[in-house]
Amino acid sequence: MRIMRAAFASRFDDADPLAALTVGEQPEPSLPDDDWVTLRVTASSLNHHDIWSLRGVGLRAEQLPMILGCDAVGVDPEGNEVVVYPVVPTPGDPRGVSILSEHFPGTLAERVAVPRWNLLPLPAGLSATNAACLPTAWLTAWRMLTTKGRIDEADAVLVQGAGGGVATAAVVLATAMGKRVYATSRDAAKRERVAGLGATALETGARLPERVDVVIETVGAATFDHSLKSAAPGARIVVSGATAGHEPAVNLRRVFAMQLEILGTSMGTSADLADLLAFCAERKVRPVVDSVVPFSRVEEAFARLHSGDAFGKVVIDHTS
């Protein structure tokens, strides 16, 4: 049995999730099927999904220890640099699929096993640390804007809760698509930074200069009424998270009178990720990176994400 170094959930701790994180030796993941391969990870990035896993959300005690991490860039058995699409077929899951680190070991390790069709070529001009930001948060934002939000029919976009990984990605992508972008945050420093990305930054709940065609909603109850009031007739409110409450009060009269669409989404397809990679490479769009941390100090990366102070993605460099 080959052993590798990994960051994994060794137990659950809802009050102090960082206490449930262990960095140490784990067996190299086995290959569940003939079409799976093992690749050497060169870069990964953290998501709030990793913090929720440490809290016990989506995992059972009998699955522990579970190697964390959804996002990765690595080198395949043939020596090609590849980006990992993190959604894998999972017959035992009610969804029929799962994300790496839910049923199968994740990417915060020296090596990870995935189906061969989950590997996409790393585009020229896109670094491993940049591409490692894309497969979860940026893919979710891309699908929210394109497939669900139909942004090609839109002129203006509102992004709630700028600063988080998905929200920041949505600001950058929508700006690159030539849309008028409004972004909210309670934090003055984050508003200043998001303004630097091309958005009109506003305090949470502030009145917008115009109603928008697409709302990117990852906050939930704390902002949802504002999202409804900011939506133009026929607008799409696309939801992929609820970090500040999952049961908002919804004014249904506004929904039907304004003919609003409230759409849920999560992640995206492999084809979506290929389109996102191509868009970023061709338009020279680069992810907003809060920090790049060597894998040898991965605990510091988790602490940074958990602090709530990160702006953009926290990236792990597995080569140092």
Side-chain angles (χ1 to χ4, degrees):
M1 180 187 300
R2 293 185 65 185
I3 299 296
M4 63 180 185
R5 190 162 177 79
F8 54 94
S10 53
R11 60 186 179 89
F12 303 135
D13 193 323
D14 185 49
D16 183 10
L18 299 185
L21 174 67
T22 300
V23 179
E25 293 185 341
Q26 285 289 290
E28 182 175 303
S30 57
L31 302 180
D33 212 329
D34 290 343
D35 63 347
W36 285 57
V37 295
T38 301
L39 63 147
R40 176 172 55 83
V41 179
T42 55
S44 63
S45 70
L46 299 187
N47 295 281
H48 283 286
H49 183 279
D50 302 310
I51 302 293
W52 287 110
S53 296
L54 292 169
R55 287 190 163 118
V57 178
L59 289 176
R60 302 183 307 276
E62 56 267 28
Q63 293 176 279
L64 299 178
M66 175 60 77
I67 298 174
L68 301 170
C70 312
D71 296 337
V73 172
V75 179
D76 71 9
E78 288 72 47
N80 304 303
E81 284 194 286
V82 292
V83 182
V84 176
Y85 174 62
V87 180
V88 293
T90 312
D93 191 287
R95 301 165 294 180
V97 296
S98 67
I99 303 171
L100 291 173
S101 78
E102 292 181 339
H103 290 276
F104 299 97
T107 59
L108 292 178
E110 294 178 58
R111 292 175 289 281
V112 65
V114 293
R116 187 176 285 278
W117 71 273
N118 282 57
L119 303 180
L120 299 172
L122 176 66
L126 204 58
S127 70
T129 50
N130 278 328
C133 299
L134 302 180
T136 299
W138 277 66
L139 176 60
T140 298
W142 176 263
R143 186 173 178 83
M144 291 176 83
L145 290 167
T146 58
T147 305
K148 295 289 186 174
R150 306 194 302 278
I151 196 170
D152 56 324
E153 303 170 14
D155 295 316
V157 178
L158 167 62
V159 180
Q160 299 281 23
V166 174
T168 304
V171 168
V172 174
L173 290 169
T175 301
M177 294 170 183
K179 307 302 176 181
R180 295 189 299 276
V181 182
Y182 303 95
T184 68
S185 176
R186 295 174 299 175
D187 186 294
K190 289 183 178 179
R191 290 197 299 272
E192 183 177 350
R193 293 197 64 179
V194 81
L197 299 176
T200 298
L202 301 163
E203 290 189 36
T204 301
R207 185 180 181 89
L208 272 58
E210 63 180 316
R211 287 181 171 167
V212 300
D213 309 297
V214 178
V215 180
I216 300 301
E217 177 61 82
T218 62
V219 179
T223 57
F224 207 79
D225 187 59
H226 182 249
S227 293
L228 290 169
K229 291 177 179 177
S230 302
R236 283 77 65 194
I237 300 174
V238 190
V239 184
S240 71
T243 56
H246 65 282
E247 294 183 338
V250 177
N251 184 339
L252 292 177
R253 285 180 292 189
R254 185 176 291 273
V255 173
F256 65 73
M258 298 288 282
Q259 300 191 51
L260 305 178
E261 298 178 48
I262 300 174
L263 304 163
T265 190
S266 179
M267 298 294 291
T269 66
S270 179
D272 289 332
L273 180 56
D275 290 343
L276 171 60
L277 287 165
F279 181 87
C280 289
E282 291 165 8
R283 302 284 187 95
K284 300 191 185 309
V285 173
R286 297 296 178 262
V288 179
V289 174
D290 175 82
S291 50
V292 179
V293 181
F295 185 76
S296 58
R297 304 206 314 265
V298 67
E299 296 98 332
E300 295 177 21
F302 270 85
R304 176 67 180 169
L305 179 64
H306 184 53
S307 72
D309 295 330
F311 186 90
K313 296 290 290 180
V314 179
V315 180
I316 311 298
D317 182 355
H318 289 239
T319 64
S320 60

